[in-house]
């Protein structure tokens, strides 16, 4: 997995050198020199530099490099838009990027949030471009709740009559019966058709039976597991997310202490690096990404369950507190659907009981609100998001370890049961990939599990993956990443 990528500053200096070298190579008809330069830049493609390399390739008529840099930007859109290069693009370049059918995004929300971030970067100058930008945001494809709670409340939208027209178009689309939506043809109602990158599932640390450093990856295409760089120190019961091309292991338990530390893993370099500590010690926390921020939710600090929540800004490398939950929740599962962050079940240390309650966080209002309860109490449930639905998988209620699964639909504010897993599992990792929901490891009440199974919502069936992890582990962090090129 290892591939050396030059630091951004060094790469900029190298590109200045190539600015001189490439025209000279063209004049002297040294095509091998030009080819070697382009191959080098292609090897350096990364979310933080691909737009600069794309501009360089365009300037010097390096057609193949231009196409590959453009494809890379489309495939890594969610991470690219967090970069300084994106924020410094001109209006034509932003429109060209966000109008592409090939953007690889989990939701059209990513495009809307990218537009708002770009405009706010130089608001006085750029707010006049809002209508041009919103023409390329496919608002009809967003959930109704997101349109009402986020888009309609955005001041940049409110201040533009043309933007309001696009919002009205989206609302009308949602009011139409399904068969009539087909007749409402516009570029904004057309689904994007990304070229999917191959994926890896990363399983980090965990209890086996003590906290471990081991990290292993599952290659979905090859259907096999392999070891990658170990954690800097032992860690279990941590939060885990994939953001800006990096895997973040947040808090947890090192075998003796609950920790505030956070480590990030670069899959290209196969290397771990420490980032800023959280404000609070947290183990058995939930972690998720919302609007480009990493949220650490609840958990246990060694003496009490936590209701507090804090967020991490990768650009400033700083953590800050946001509104606390209404309930203390350790062993809590979290997920993001429709621009809202959900905290599912867990354990309330104050009343000493496992929870069936669920609440959601609105970042715009900085408020937590209770929603419909699950049908059963679940602490240590795995939580995943698939097709804009929130799944609560397994968990336990006291000594009873569950194999049952239920799913929440935000449009109806209701939970329903789906097929049981093949095994009882608590403290398992959950992730969604390629239209399937994977559940990894955990424990069944007596031993840690190395097995993995996945749920197919089309057939309502669970299937055990033939290849097990090398180590049975519970309380491991699990996420899915793009396989490094």
């Amino acid at each position: 997995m290892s591939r050396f990528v030059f630091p951004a500053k060094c790469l900029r200096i190298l590109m200045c050198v190539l600015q001189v070298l490439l025209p000279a190579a063209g004049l002297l008809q040294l095509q091998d020199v030009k080819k070697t330069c382009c191959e080098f830049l292609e090897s350096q493609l990364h979310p933080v530099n691909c737009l600069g390399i794309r501009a360089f390739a365009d300037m010097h008529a390096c057609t193949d490099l231009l196409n590959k840099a453009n494809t890379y930007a489309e495939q890594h859109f969610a991470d690219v838009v967090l970069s300084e290069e994106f924020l410094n693009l001109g209006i034509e370049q932003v429109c060209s990027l966000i109008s592409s059918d090939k953007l690889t995004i989990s939701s059209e929300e990513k495009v809307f949030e990218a537009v708002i971030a770009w405009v706010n970067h130089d608001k006085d100058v750029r707010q006049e471009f809002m209508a041009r930008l919103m023409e390329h945001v496919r608002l009809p494809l967003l959930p109704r709740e997101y349109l009402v709670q986020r888009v309609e409340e955005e001041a940049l939208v409110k201040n533009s009559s043309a933007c309001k027209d696009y919002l009205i178009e989206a609302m009308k689309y949602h009011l139409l019966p399904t068969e009539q939506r087909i007749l409402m043809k516009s570029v904004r109602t057309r689904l994007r058709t990304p070229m999917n990158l191959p994926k890896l599932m990363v399983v980090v640390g965990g209890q086996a039976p003590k906290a471990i450093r081991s990290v292993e990856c599952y290659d979905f295409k090859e259907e096999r597991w392999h070891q990658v760089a170990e954690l800097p120190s032992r860690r279990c019961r941590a939060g885990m997310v994939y953001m800006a091309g990096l895997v973040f292991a947040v808090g947890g338990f090192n075998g003796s202490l609950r920790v505030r530390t956070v480590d990030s893993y670069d899959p290209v370099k196969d290397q771990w690096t420490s980032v800023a500590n959280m404000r609070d010690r947290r183990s058995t926390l939930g972690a998720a990404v919302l609007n480009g921020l990493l949220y650490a939710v609840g958990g246990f600090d060694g003496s009490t369950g936590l209701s507090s929540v804090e967020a991490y800004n990768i650009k400033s490398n700083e953590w800050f507190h946001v509104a606390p939950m209404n309930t203390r929740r350790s062993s809590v599962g979290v997920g993001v659907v429709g621009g809202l962050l959900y905290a599912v079940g867990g354990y309330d240390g104050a009343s000493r009981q496992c929870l069936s309650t669920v609440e959601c966080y609105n970042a715009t209002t900085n408020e937590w609100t209770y929603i419909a309860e699950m049908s059963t109490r679940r602490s240590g449930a795995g939580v995943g998001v698939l097709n804009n639905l929130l799944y609560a998988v397994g968990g336990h209620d006291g000594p009873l370890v569950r194999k049952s699964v239920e799913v929440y639909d935000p449009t109806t504010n209701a939970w329903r049961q789906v097929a049981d897993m093949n095994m009882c599992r608590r403290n398992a990792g959950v992730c969604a990939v390629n239209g399937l929901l994977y559940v990894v490891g955990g424990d069944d009440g007596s031993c840690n599990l190395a097995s993995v199974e996945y749920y197919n919502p089309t057939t309502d069936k669970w299937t055990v993956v033939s290849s097990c992890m090398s180590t049975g582990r519970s309380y491991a962090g699990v996420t899915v990443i793009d396989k490094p090129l």
Side-chain angles (χ1 to χ4, degrees):
M1 291 179 67
S2 183
R3 174 171 73 92
F4 180 75
V5 175
F6 277 80
K9 188 175 181 180
C10 295
L11 188 62
R12 283 196 294 271
I13 295 171
L14 282 167
M15 286 174 71
C16 288
V17 174
L18 294 178
Q19 293 272 23
V20 178
L21 183 60
L22 276 184
L27 286 171
L28 298 172
Q29 296 185 330
L30 300 173
Q31 295 305 315
D32 286 347
V33 173
K34 183 175 182 179
K35 182 182 177 184
T36 301
C37 291
C38 290
E39 287 176 349
F40 165 74
L41 289 176
E42 184 186 337
S43 75
Q44 296 297 302
L45 286 170
H46 189 276
V48 301
N49 66 29
C50 61
L51 296 176
I53 291 175
R54 184 181 71 170
F56 179 90
D58 191 26
M59 180 186 300
H60 295 287
C62 302
T63 308
D64 189 47
L65 178 61
L66 173 63
N67 291 335
K68 286 180 177 174
N70 197 58
T71 298
Y72 187 95
E74 291 171 340
Q75 292 181 330
H76 296 81
F77 179 83
D79 298 323
V80 168
V81 297
L82 300 175
S83 70
E84 285 296 318
E85 283 192 347
F86 173 77
L87 294 175
N88 292 324
L89 285 180
I91 179 63
E92 300 298 338
Q93 296 163 308
V94 175
C95 287
S96 174
L97 181 60
I98 67 174
S99 64
S100 171
D101 278 342
K102 299 298 181 185
L103 294 185
T104 300
I105 49 175
S106 57
S107 165
E108 195 67 21
E109 295 165 24
K110 299 289 185 186
V111 184
F112 177 77
E113 297 296 345
V115 164
I116 299 303
W118 183 85
V119 172
N120 280 331
H121 189 65
D122 191 1
K123 187 175 177 181
D124 291 342
V125 173
R126 295 177 175 179
Q127 58 187 342
E128 68 177 274
F129 298 128
M130 269 300 292
R132 283 188 63 188
L133 293 162
M134 292 298 288
E135 179 184 352
H136 304 296
V137 181
R138 303 181 185 186
L139 292 182
L141 305 183
L142 288 165
R144 279 179 297 182
E145 291 72 19
Y146 188 83
L147 288 171
V148 173
Q149 296 172 5
R150 176 69 180 96
V151 180
E152 189 177 21
E153 294 302 312
E154 171 58 53
L156 290 167
V157 173
K158 285 182 176 181
N159 294 333
S160 167
S161 58
C163 290
K164 288 179 183 176
D165 289 341
Y166 292 130
L167 180 59
I168 291 168
E169 175 193 49
M171 296 294 197
K172 284 182 178 178
Y173 182 80
H174 279 278
L175 291 172
L176 290 173
T178 305
E179 60 274 12
Q180 290 185 28
R181 289 183 184 180
I182 300 169
L183 302 175
M184 188 176 169
K185 290 184 178 178
S186 83
V187 67
R188 287 174 294 282
T189 61
R190 188 171 69 224
L191 291 172
R192 298 189 193 262
T193 53
M195 295 171 56
N196 287 326
L197 290 170
K199 303 291 184 184
L200 296 176
M201 180 162 60
V202 184
V203 183
V204 179
Q207 287 184 193
K210 295 182 179 179
I212 58 175
R213 293 176 58 197
S214 163
V215 182
E216 49 189 316
C217 285
Y218 181 73
D219 189 311
F220 291 95
K221 186 175 181 181
E222 298 176 4
E223 298 183 352
R224 69 179 185 89
W225 292 90
H226 57 267
Q227 299 286 326
V228 295
E230 289 191 330
L231 283 159
S233 58
R234 295 192 296 156
R235 193 188 291 267
C236 64
R237 310 180 196 176
M240 192 70 48
V241 301
Y242 180 52
M243 180 176 72
L246 301 170
V247 175
F248 289 82
V250 183
F253 181 63
N254 64 12
S256 57
L257 294 170
R258 280 79 189 174
V259 298
R260 300 189 297 131
T261 58
V262 183
D263 294 319
S264 73
Y265 173 71
D266 186 332
V268 173
K269 298 178 182 178
D270 191 27
Q271 178 179 309
W272 287 92
T273 306
S274 294
V275 300
N277 288 350
M278 289 185 292
R279 300 290 185 89
D280 304 323
R281 298 178 184 275
R282 300 176 190 273
S283 70
T284 65
L285 66 150
V289 176
L290 175 64
N291 301 336
L293 297 175
L294 191 170
Y295 284 81
V297 179
F300 181 68
D301 66 4
S303 60
T304 185
L306 303 172
S307 60
S308 66
V309 181
E310 51 189 302
Y312 174 70
N313 185 326
I314 191 172
K315 293 177 184 175
S316 61
N317 191 32
E318 291 179 334
W319 288 89
F320 58 94
H321 281 107
V322 298
M325 294 180 288
N326 297 298
T327 304
R328 297 177 185 271
R329 297 178 191 271
S330 59
S331 294
V332 60
V334 299
V336 173
V337 186
L340 298 173
L341 172 63
Y342 292 82
V344 180
Y347 180 75
D348 177 0
S351 60
R352 296 186 178 181
Q353 65 179 8
C354 299
L355 301 169
S356 60
T357 59
V358 183
E359 48 189 308
C360 71
Y361 175 71
N362 184 326
T364 304
T365 61
N366 191 31
E367 291 178 332
W368 286 90
T369 308
Y370 284 113
I371 61 163
E373 291 190 16
M374 293 181 287
S375 63
T376 52
R377 300 178 189 273
R378 296 179 191 270
S379 177
V383 172
V385 176
L386 183 62
N387 300 329
N388 290 317
L389 300 174
L390 188 73
Y391 285 80
V393 180
H396 67 100
D397 182 8
L400 175 64
V401 181
R402 301 191 184 280
K403 64 167 66 172
S404 65
V405 181
E406 49 190 309
V407 59
Y408 174 75
D409 186 342
T411 62
T412 59
N413 188 32
W415 292 86
R416 61 181 171 84
Q417 296 285 134
V418 295
D420 287 357
M421 292 183 289
N422 290 287
M423 302 174 195
C424 298
R425 296 177 192 266
R426 64 181 176 186
N427 309 318
V430 174
C431 61
V433 62
N434 301 329
L436 303 172
L437 191 74
Y438 284 78
V439 180
V440 183
D443 72 86
D444 60 8
S446 59
C447 64
N448 291 324
L449 303 170
S451 62
V452 178
E453 52 186 302
Y454 64 84
Y455 175 71
N456 185 332
T458 305
T459 60
D460 190 32
K461 287 184 179 178
W462 287 89
T463 304
V464 177
V465 174
S466 58
S467 179
C468 290
M469 291 184 288
S470 63
T471 306
R473 52 177 107 195
S474 61
Y475 288 114
V478 177
T479 192
V480 171
I481 69 170
D482 296 323
K483 186 175 182 178
L485 298 175

